[in-house]
Structures are given as C-alpha cells and as structure tokens.
C-alpha cells in the first residue's frame, strides 16, 4: 500500500460545480498535511495547509479526518482556471514529505 | 512569482558531461530540498539540507552530488547521468525546526539526458 494515495481522476466538471478530492495516508503518526496545485509542466504551488479543525480559503475548504486517516479538498463554484493537478502532501515528523500522485481536474465551460 | 529561484530552466546534456543545477532562496529558510519529478508522477525526495548540513539522502546514486554553500544556496552537481535521469528537478525550501511548515518550490530545471 502506498503511503499517500489519491484518486488520479480525471475529474471533468462544468464551471460552477462543486468538486471534492480525498487523499488517504497510511502512517497514523503523520502530523502535517497540505494541498498543492500543479499546472502542466510547472512546479507545485502551495494551495493551503490542512488544520485539525478544518480550514477555508475563499472557495477552497480543507478537512482532516485523523480517525479514518484522510484529508479532503472541496472546491466550490469551480472556475476554468482551477483546472490543474491537485497533490496532497503528508509530513510524519522531520523534513520528509510524501506526496500523493495527484488528482487531475478539468473544468469546462 | 516564485521566491525560490532555480537555474537553468532547461538543460540538455550528454551522458559524459558534468553540469550543475542551482537554487537560491531569500526567505530565511534553513531547510532546502531537491526533488525529482517524472511526468504524471509525484515529486520524489532526493536530498534534504538542514542548517547547511545534509540531513537526508534518499539512497540517491552518487552521480548526483548535492552541495549547500550557504543558507541561501543549494546546488546539485551532475556527472555521468543516464537517460532515465531525464526529469524535472525541483528545489524547495521551508522553515526548519517546526513540522507544520510547508515547502515552497522553485519552478524547476527540466533536464534531458541524451
């Protein structure tokens, strides 16, 4: 089993739709969680950290479920510009971060 | 605009060449990282430097040699690479000493080995 797993998609949604991604992790000692966005042939860019109580940044909401060992990302009112690959990242202490393989999102007009 | 700067953006080299990738950050971060990313795969950690000392080497072949001259700079020296080493090489930095700090990536060097 991979340490961090994501549904690769692709998710094809119309503009204005709400879409949710999940990411599961296997190490119960994991401490820090992040979502990154990566556009084609570009570097990953930090989208948001994921806090235990859940957190929101505009149209984006991140949640953590420690009992079931997954994090989620909800995107409301999808825009064409949201089309990208979304990577979850998990730190289990120290400097090592494990990235999921990413979920591809296509938002269509 | 990224606050982590990588040069060159693109590099094509033969298997017998020696080249270096460079990374610079001025965010005061004391942890710096090299990742390798193949197409449609996640970034894979290669090396971590913490306070200019090598902290993690993920069993990377010796044809890749990292160097951290100071707290702002990170180099990756390349020698006798193989075609399978063609990939996007990403540098990242983060604050050291706290687990909940995210990494910030440079825009990468796209490396092609002929």
């Amino acid at each position: 089993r991979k340490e961090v797993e994501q549904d690769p998609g692709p998710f094809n949604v119309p503009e204005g739709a709400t879409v949710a991604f999940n990411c599961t992790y296997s190490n119960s000692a994991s401490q820090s969680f992040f979502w990154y966005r990566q556009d084609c042939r570009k570097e990953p860019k930090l989208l948001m950290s994921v806090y235990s109580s859940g957190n929101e940044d505009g149209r984006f909401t991140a949640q953590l479920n420690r009992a079931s060992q997954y994090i989620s990302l909800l995107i409301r009112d999808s825009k064409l510009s949201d089309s990208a690959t979304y990577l979850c990242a998990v730190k289990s202490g120290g400097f090592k971060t494990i990235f999921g393989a990413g979920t591809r999102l296509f938002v269509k007009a | 605009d990224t606050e982590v700067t990588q040069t060159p953006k693109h590099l094509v080299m033969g298997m017998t060449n020696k080249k270096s990738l460079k990374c610079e950050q001025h965010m005061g971060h004391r942890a710096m990282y090299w990742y390798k990313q193949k197409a449609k795969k996640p970034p894979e950690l290669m090396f971590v430097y913490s306070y200019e000392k090598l902290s993690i080497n993920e069993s990377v072949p010796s044809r890749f040699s990292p160097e951290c001259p100071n707290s702002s700079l990170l180099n990756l020296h390349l020698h006798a690479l193989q075609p399978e080493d063609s990939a996007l090489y990403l540098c990242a930095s983060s604050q050291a000493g706290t687990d909940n700090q995210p990494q910030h990536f440079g825009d990468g060097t796209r490396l092609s080995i002929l």
Side-chain angles (χ1 to χ4, degrees):
Chain A
R1 182 186 174 189
K2 293 181 181 177
E3 290 188 68
V4 178
E5 292 198 77
Q6 292 183 251
D7 181 344
F11 284 62
N12 294 288
V13 302
E15 272 188 294
T18 295
V19 61
F21 310 134
N22 279 347
C23 168
T24 59
Y25 59 94
S26 60
N27 186 348
S28 59
S30 299
Q31 298 173 356
S32 306
F33 309 88
F34 310 94
W35 282 103
Y36 285 80
R37 170 200 170 122
Q38 186 169 26
D39 293 289
C40 186
R41 300 179 70 82
K42 298 285 189 180
E43 77 278 17
K45 289 186 187 288
L46 179 68
L47 184 63
M48 56 198 305
S49 300
V50 186
Y51 302 123
S52 296
S53 56
N55 48 298
E56 187 175 305
D57 182 1
R59 297 182 293 109
F60 299 86
T61 300
Q63 292 195 313
L64 167 63
N65 185 316
R66 286 193 184 273
S68 300
Q69 294 184 200
Y70 75 84
I71 63 172
S72 64
L73 177 69
L74 182 78
I75 305 176
R76 289 182 299 277
D77 189 22
S78 299
K79 311 291 185 191
L80 294 176
S81 57
D82 294 332
S83 297
T85 296
Y86 291 83
L87 302 167
C88 64
V90 177
K91 288 179 76 174
S92 301
F95 294 106
K96 191 168 181 179
T97 298
I98 307 296
F99 287 84
T103 298
R104 298 190 72 188
L105 172 66
F106 294 99
V107 181
K108 299 183 178 181
Chain B
D1 288 339
T2 181
E3 295 182 78
V4 179
T5 305
Q6 290 187 243
T7 56
K9 296 289 185 278
H10 302 274
L11 179 61
V12 180
M13 57 187 286
M15 288 188 284
T16 58
N17 291 156
K18 286 184 181 181
K19 296 286 185 183
S20 297
L21 309 185
K22 297 185 182 298
C23 175
E24 186 171 6
Q25 57 88 15
H26 293 289
M27 294 184 282
H29 291 167
R30 301 305 296 274
M32 296 186 76
Y33 310 76
W34 279 116
Y35 285 87
K36 173 183 177 180
Q37 187 176 26
K38 303 281 271 186
K40 298 186 179 181
K41 298 290 186 182
E44 293 180 5
L45 183 66
M46 298 175 73
F47 303 103
V48 180
Y49 274 82
S50 172
Y51 295 93
E52 297 89 68
K53 293 191 189 312
L54 185 63
S55 177
I56 296 177
N57 176 343
E58 289 287 281
S59 302
V60 179
S62 60
R63 58 186 184 268
F64 295 91
S65 175
E67 178 196 19
C68 190
N70 60 53
S71 60
S72 300
L73 295 175
L74 185 66
N75 299 323
L76 186 63
H77 303 298
L78 314 173
H79 173 54
L81 294 195
Q82 304 297 310
E84 61 265 27
D85 297 323
S86 297
L88 179 66
Y89 287 83
L90 294 160
C91 173
S93 70
S94 73
Q95 293 185 23
T98 51
D99 284 335
N100 63 352
Q101 294 301 314
Q103 295 170 24
H104 298 268
F105 286 87
D107 54 6
T109 293
R110 193 160 297 279
L111 177 65
S112 297
I113 306 301
L114 301 179

Short mmCIF file of all heavy atoms in Angstrom, two decimals, chain B residues 9-45:
data_model
loop_
_atom_site.label_atom_id
_atom_site.label_comp_id
_atom_site.label_asym_id
_atom_site.label_seq_id
_atom_site.Cartn_x
_atom_site.Cartn_y
_atom_site.Cartn_z
N LYS B 9 16.66 26.89 -16.45
CA LYS B 9 15.29 26.41 -16.58
C LYS B 9 15.25 25.10 -17.37
O LYS B 9 14.42 24.23 -17.12
CB LYS B 9 14.42 27.45 -17.30
CG LYS B 9 14.28 28.74 -16.51
CD LYS B 9 13.41 28.57 -15.29
CE LYS B 9 13.17 29.88 -14.57
NZ LYS B 9 14.28 30.23 -13.68
N HIS B 10 16.12 25.00 -18.35
CA HIS B 10 16.22 23.81 -19.18
C HIS B 10 17.68 23.44 -19.33
O HIS B 10 18.55 24.32 -19.40
CB HIS B 10 15.63 24.06 -20.58
CG HIS B 10 14.21 24.49 -20.58
ND1 HIS B 10 13.15 23.60 -20.55
CD2 HIS B 10 13.64 25.72 -20.57
CE1 HIS B 10 12.01 24.26 -20.55
NE2 HIS B 10 12.28 25.55 -20.55
N LEU B 11 17.96 22.14 -19.38
CA LEU B 11 19.33 21.67 -19.56
C LEU B 11 19.31 20.38 -20.36
O LEU B 11 18.59 19.45 -20.01
CB LEU B 11 19.99 21.44 -18.20
CG LEU B 11 21.43 20.93 -18.21
CD1 LEU B 11 22.35 21.93 -18.91
CD2 LEU B 11 21.92 20.68 -16.78
N VAL B 12 20.10 20.37 -21.42
CA VAL B 12 20.28 19.16 -22.21
C VAL B 12 21.76 18.79 -22.11
O VAL B 12 22.62 19.64 -22.34
CB VAL B 12 19.90 19.38 -23.70
CG1 VAL B 12 20.12 18.10 -24.50
CG2 VAL B 12 18.44 19.83 -23.81
N MET B 13 22.04 17.58 -21.73
CA MET B 13 23.43 17.18 -21.58
C MET B 13 23.63 15.74 -22.00
O MET B 13 22.69 14.93 -21.97
CB MET B 13 23.91 17.39 -20.14
CG MET B 13 23.11 16.68 -19.08
SD MET B 13 23.60 17.14 -17.39
CE MET B 13 25.16 16.29 -17.22
N GLY B 14 24.86 15.45 -22.39
CA GLY B 14 25.22 14.10 -22.74
C GLY B 14 25.60 13.32 -21.50
O GLY B 14 25.79 13.88 -20.41
N MET B 15 25.71 12.03 -21.66
CA MET B 15 25.96 11.16 -20.51
C MET B 15 27.37 11.34 -19.92
O MET B 15 27.62 10.93 -18.79
CB MET B 15 25.72 9.70 -20.89
CG MET B 15 24.24 9.37 -21.08
SD MET B 15 23.93 7.61 -21.31
CE MET B 15 24.46 7.41 -23.00
N THR B 16 28.26 11.96 -20.68
CA THR B 16 29.61 12.13 -20.15
C THR B 16 29.84 13.54 -19.59
O THR B 16 30.91 13.84 -19.07
CB THR B 16 30.66 11.85 -21.24
OG1 THR B 16 30.41 12.75 -22.34
CG2 THR B 16 30.56 10.42 -21.73
N ASN B 17 28.84 14.39 -19.72
CA ASN B 17 29.01 15.79 -19.29
C ASN B 17 28.96 15.92 -17.77
O ASN B 17 28.42 15.06 -17.07
CB ASN B 17 27.91 16.67 -19.89
CG ASN B 17 28.02 16.84 -21.38
OD1 ASN B 17 27.05 17.12 -22.05
ND2 ASN B 17 29.22 16.66 -21.92
N LYS B 18 29.49 17.05 -17.31
CA LYS B 18 29.32 17.46 -15.91
C LYS B 18 28.62 18.82 -15.92
O LYS B 18 29.07 19.74 -16.60
CB LYS B 18 30.67 17.63 -15.22
CG LYS B 18 31.40 16.35 -14.87
CD LYS B 18 32.67 16.68 -14.09
CE LYS B 18 33.43 15.44 -13.73
NZ LYS B 18 34.66 15.73 -12.96
N LYS B 19 27.56 18.91 -15.17
CA LYS B 19 26.82 20.17 -15.08
C LYS B 19 26.33 20.34 -13.65
O LYS B 19 26.35 19.40 -12.85
CB LYS B 19 25.61 20.18 -16.03
CG LYS B 19 25.95 20.11 -17.51
CD LYS B 19 26.49 21.42 -18.01
CE LYS B 19 26.70 21.35 -19.53
NZ LYS B 19 27.31 22.61 -20.04
N SER B 20 25.85 21.54 -13.35
CA SER B 20 25.30 21.81 -12.02
C SER B 20 23.98 22.54 -12.11
O SER B 20 23.80 23.42 -12.96
CB SER B 20 26.28 22.66 -11.20
OG SER B 20 27.49 21.96 -10.98
N LEU B 21 23.06 22.16 -11.24
CA LEU B 21 21.81 22.88 -11.08
C LEU B 21 21.95 23.77 -9.85
O LEU B 21 22.55 23.36 -8.84
CB LEU B 21 20.64 21.91 -10.88
CG LEU B 21 20.49 20.78 -11.89
CD1 LEU B 21 19.20 20.00 -11.61
CD2 LEU B 21 20.52 21.29 -13.30
N LYS B 22 21.34 24.97 -9.94
CA LYS B 22 21.48 25.92 -8.84
C LYS B 22 20.11 26.34 -8.33
O LYS B 22 19.14 26.44 -9.10
CB LYS B 22 22.28 27.13 -9.29
CG LYS B 22 23.71 26.78 -9.70
CD LYS B 22 24.52 28.00 -10.03
CE LYS B 22 25.92 27.61 -10.48
NZ LYS B 22 26.68 26.90 -9.43
N CYS B 23 20.07 26.62 -7.04
CA CYS B 23 18.84 27.02 -6.38
C CYS B 23 19.17 28.09 -5.36
O CYS B 23 20.18 27.97 -4.63
CB CYS B 23 18.20 25.81 -5.69
SG CYS B 23 16.73 26.19 -4.72
N GLU B 24 18.33 29.12 -5.28
CA GLU B 24 18.56 30.20 -4.34
C GLU B 24 17.24 30.64 -3.73
O GLU B 24 16.22 30.73 -4.42
CB GLU B 24 19.23 31.38 -5.07
CG GLU B 24 19.66 32.51 -4.16
CD GLU B 24 20.51 33.55 -4.89
OE1 GLU B 24 20.67 33.44 -6.12
OE2 GLU B 24 21.03 34.46 -4.22
N GLN B 25 17.28 30.89 -2.43
CA GLN B 25 16.09 31.42 -1.77
C GLN B 25 16.52 32.48 -0.76
O GLN B 25 17.59 32.38 -0.16
CB GLN B 25 15.28 30.32 -1.08
CG GLN B 25 16.01 29.48 -0.05
CD GLN B 25 15.98 30.03 1.36
OE1 GLN B 25 15.17 30.91 1.69
NE2 GLN B 25 16.83 29.50 2.23
N HIS B 26 15.66 33.50 -0.62
CA HIS B 26 15.95 34.58 0.32
C HIS B 26 14.79 34.77 1.29
O HIS B 26 14.43 35.89 1.64
CB HIS B 26 16.24 35.87 -0.45
CG HIS B 26 17.52 35.79 -1.24
ND1 HIS B 26 18.76 35.79 -0.66
CD2 HIS B 26 17.73 35.67 -2.57
CE1 HIS B 26 19.69 35.69 -1.58
NE2 HIS B 26 19.10 35.60 -2.75
N MET B 27 14.20 33.65 1.69
CA MET B 27 13.09 33.71 2.64
C MET B 27 13.57 33.42 4.06
O MET B 27 12.75 33.31 4.98
CB MET B 27 12.01 32.71 2.23
CG MET B 27 11.33 33.08 0.92
SD MET B 27 9.99 31.96 0.47
CE MET B 27 10.92 30.57 -0.15
N GLY B 28 14.88 33.23 4.23
CA GLY B 28 15.40 32.92 5.56
C GLY B 28 15.14 31.49 5.98
O GLY B 28 15.27 31.15 7.16
N HIS B 29 14.76 30.65 5.02
CA HIS B 29 14.52 29.24 5.33
C HIS B 29 15.84 28.52 5.57
O HIS B 29 16.82 28.74 4.86
CB HIS B 29 13.75 28.57 4.19
CG HIS B 29 12.34 29.04 4.06
ND1 HIS B 29 11.55 28.76 2.95
CD2 HIS B 29 11.56 29.75 4.90
CE1 HIS B 29 10.35 29.29 3.13
NE2 HIS B 29 10.33 29.91 4.30
N ARG B 30 15.85 27.62 6.55
CA ARG B 30 17.08 26.90 6.85
C ARG B 30 17.01 25.43 6.45
O ARG B 30 17.90 24.65 6.77
CB ARG B 30 17.41 27.03 8.35
CG ARG B 30 17.58 28.48 8.81
CD ARG B 30 18.63 29.23 8.00
NE ARG B 30 19.96 28.69 8.14
CZ ARG B 30 20.79 29.02 9.12
NH1 ARG B 30 20.43 29.90 10.04
NH2 ARG B 30 22.00 28.49 9.17
N ALA B 31 15.95 25.04 5.79
CA ALA B 31 15.85 23.68 5.22
C ALA B 31 15.65 23.81 3.72
O ALA B 31 14.81 24.59 3.26
CB ALA B 31 14.69 22.90 5.83
N MET B 32 16.45 23.06 2.96
CA MET B 32 16.36 23.10 1.50
C MET B 32 16.36 21.68 0.96
O MET B 32 16.99 20.78 1.56
CB MET B 32 17.48 23.93 0.90
CG MET B 32 17.40 25.41 1.31
SD MET B 32 18.61 26.47 0.50
CE MET B 32 17.87 26.63 -1.14
N TYR B 33 15.69 21.48 -0.14
CA TYR B 33 15.39 20.14 -0.64
C TYR B 33 15.65 20.05 -2.14
O TYR B 33 15.44 21.02 -2.88
CB TYR B 33 13.90 19.82 -0.43
CG TYR B 33 13.35 20.08 0.95
CD1 TYR B 33 13.08 21.39 1.37
CD2 TYR B 33 13.06 19.04 1.81
CE1 TYR B 33 12.55 21.63 2.64
CE2 TYR B 33 12.52 19.28 3.07
CZ TYR B 33 12.27 20.58 3.48
OH TYR B 33 11.75 20.81 4.73
N TRP B 34 16.03 18.86 -2.58
CA TRP B 34 16.00 18.53 -4.01
C TRP B 34 15.01 17.39 -4.21
O TRP B 34 15.02 16.40 -3.48
CB TRP B 34 17.37 18.07 -4.51
CG TRP B 34 18.33 19.16 -4.82
CD1 TRP B 34 19.52 19.42 -4.19
CD2 TRP B 34 18.21 20.16 -5.85
NE1 TRP B 34 20.13 20.51 -4.75
CE2 TRP B 34 19.36 20.98 -5.78
CE3 TRP B 34 17.25 20.43 -6.84
CZ2 TRP B 34 19.57 22.06 -6.64
CZ3 TRP B 34 17.47 21.50 -7.68
CH2 TRP B 34 18.61 22.30 -7.58
N TYR B 35 14.15 17.59 -5.22
CA TYR B 35 13.20 16.56 -5.63
C TYR B 35 13.41 16.27 -7.12
O TYR B 35 13.82 17.13 -7.89
CB TYR B 35 11.75 17.05 -5.48
CG TYR B 35 11.23 17.10 -4.07
CD1 TYR B 35 11.43 18.21 -3.27
CD2 TYR B 35 10.49 16.04 -3.55
CE1 TYR B 35 10.92 18.27 -1.98
CE2 TYR B 35 9.97 16.08 -2.26
CZ TYR B 35 10.20 17.21 -1.48
OH TYR B 35 9.69 17.25 -0.21
N LYS B 36 13.03 15.05 -7.49
CA LYS B 36 12.98 14.65 -8.90
C LYS B 36 11.53 14.32 -9.22
O LYS B 36 10.87 13.62 -8.44
CB LYS B 36 13.85 13.42 -9.12
CG LYS B 36 13.75 12.80 -10.50
CD LYS B 36 14.62 11.54 -10.58
CE LYS B 36 14.48 10.86 -11.92
NZ LYS B 36 15.33 9.63 -12.01
N GLN B 37 11.04 14.82 -10.36
CA GLN B 37 9.67 14.52 -10.74
C GLN B 37 9.61 14.08 -12.20
O GLN B 37 10.00 14.82 -13.10
CB GLN B 37 8.74 15.72 -10.52
CG GLN B 37 7.27 15.38 -10.75
CD GLN B 37 6.33 16.52 -10.45
OE1 GLN B 37 6.70 17.69 -10.53
NE2 GLN B 37 5.07 16.20 -10.10
N LYS B 38 9.11 12.87 -12.41
CA LYS B 38 8.86 12.37 -13.75
C LYS B 38 7.41 12.73 -14.13
O LYS B 38 6.57 13.00 -13.27
CB LYS B 38 9.07 10.85 -13.80
CG LYS B 38 10.45 10.39 -13.37
CD LYS B 38 11.48 10.56 -14.44
CE LYS B 38 11.59 9.37 -15.35
NZ LYS B 38 12.71 9.49 -16.31
N ALA B 39 7.13 12.66 -15.43
CA ALA B 39 5.80 13.05 -15.92
C ALA B 39 4.71 12.21 -15.27
O ALA B 39 4.82 10.99 -15.15
CB ALA B 39 5.76 12.89 -17.43
N LYS B 40 3.68 12.90 -14.82
CA LYS B 40 2.48 12.29 -14.23
C LYS B 40 2.79 11.49 -12.97
O LYS B 40 2.03 10.59 -12.59
CB LYS B 40 1.76 11.40 -15.25
CG LYS B 40 1.26 12.17 -16.46
CD LYS B 40 0.42 11.33 -17.38
CE LYS B 40 -0.06 12.16 -18.57
NZ LYS B 40 -0.90 11.38 -19.49
N LYS B 41 3.90 11.82 -12.32
CA LYS B 41 4.26 11.20 -11.04
C LYS B 41 4.43 12.29 -9.99
O LYS B 41 4.64 13.46 -10.33
CB LYS B 41 5.58 10.43 -11.19
CG LYS B 41 5.55 9.28 -12.17
CD LYS B 41 4.72 8.14 -11.66
CE LYS B 41 4.82 6.95 -12.57
NZ LYS B 41 3.96 5.82 -12.12
N PRO B 42 4.37 11.93 -8.71
CA PRO B 42 4.59 12.95 -7.69
C PRO B 42 6.07 13.27 -7.55
O PRO B 42 6.93 12.48 -7.98
CB PRO B 42 4.08 12.26 -6.41
CG PRO B 42 4.25 10.81 -6.67
CD PRO B 42 4.01 10.62 -8.14
N PRO B 43 6.39 14.41 -6.95
CA PRO B 43 7.81 14.71 -6.67
C PRO B 43 8.37 13.65 -5.71
O PRO B 43 7.72 13.26 -4.75
CB PRO B 43 7.75 16.08 -5.98
CG PRO B 43 6.43 16.66 -6.37
CD PRO B 43 5.50 15.48 -6.53
N GLU B 44 9.59 13.21 -6.00
CA GLU B 44 10.26 12.23 -5.15
C GLU B 44 11.47 12.90 -4.48
O GLU B 44 12.32 13.46 -5.16
CB GLU B 44 10.75 11.04 -5.97
CG GLU B 44 9.63 10.19 -6.55
CD GLU B 44 10.16 9.02 -7.36
OE1 GLU B 44 11.39 8.82 -7.38
OE2 GLU B 44 9.35 8.31 -7.97
N LEU B 45 11.52 12.81 -3.17
CA LEU B 45 12.59 13.44 -2.42
C LEU B 45 13.93 12.79 -2.74
O LEU B 45 14.04 11.56 -2.79
CB LEU B 45 12.30 13.34 -0.92
CG LEU B 45 13.29 14.03 0.01
CD1 LEU B 45 13.25 15.54 -0.19
CD2 LEU B 45 13.00 13.67 1.46
#
